Amino acid sequence: MCRFVDRITVKGKKSAVSVFENYDAETQQSIELKQETATEFQRGRELYFEQNLLKRQKSSRRFAKTILKIS
């Protein structure tokens, strides 16, 4: 399993490449946590790309609270 994290421009390249987090080697608990928080993670990433920092900060707080409840 994997999830999209970001697009970056690598030194020496002209176009951006996608970065994915591969979590096949994670523990079952970690995988379940990432699946449970996937929607909030994606929303935070979208706000980051929109550069909407105030909404992203609120989204990050909800994301952190969710993780603390699950942990």
Side-chain angles (χ1 to χ4, degrees):
M1 290 187 206
C2 66
R3 66 179 172 186
F4 174 75
V5 176
D6 202 353
R7 290 191 52 80
I8 61 169
T9 302
V10 180
K11 185 176 180 178
K13 300 290 182 179
K14 293 183 180 182
S15 59
V17 295
S18 296
V19 177
F20 292 87
E21 176 187 17
N22 182 344
Y23 52 93
D24 284 340
E26 300 276 346
T27 65
Q28 187 61 35
Q29 181 182 9
S30 179
I31 292 171
E32 289 171 5
L33 176 62
K34 289 178 182 189
Q35 289 173 336
E36 290 175 29
T37 58
T39 302
E40 200 64 42
F41 179 82
Q42 182 172 340
R43 181 67 181 138
R45 197 184 74 232
E46 289 168 359
L47 292 170
Y48 169 77
F49 286 130
E50 293 171 9
Q51 296 185 352
N52 191 329
L53 301 180
L54 181 59
K55 284 186 179 178
R56 184 175 189 291
Q57 185 178 33
K58 290 177 183 176
S59 177
S60 294
R61 285 187 190 134
R62 285 192 306 271
F63 181 72
K65 285 179 184 178
T66 302
I67 290 175
L68 290 175
K69 285 180 188 176
I70 295 170
S71 298

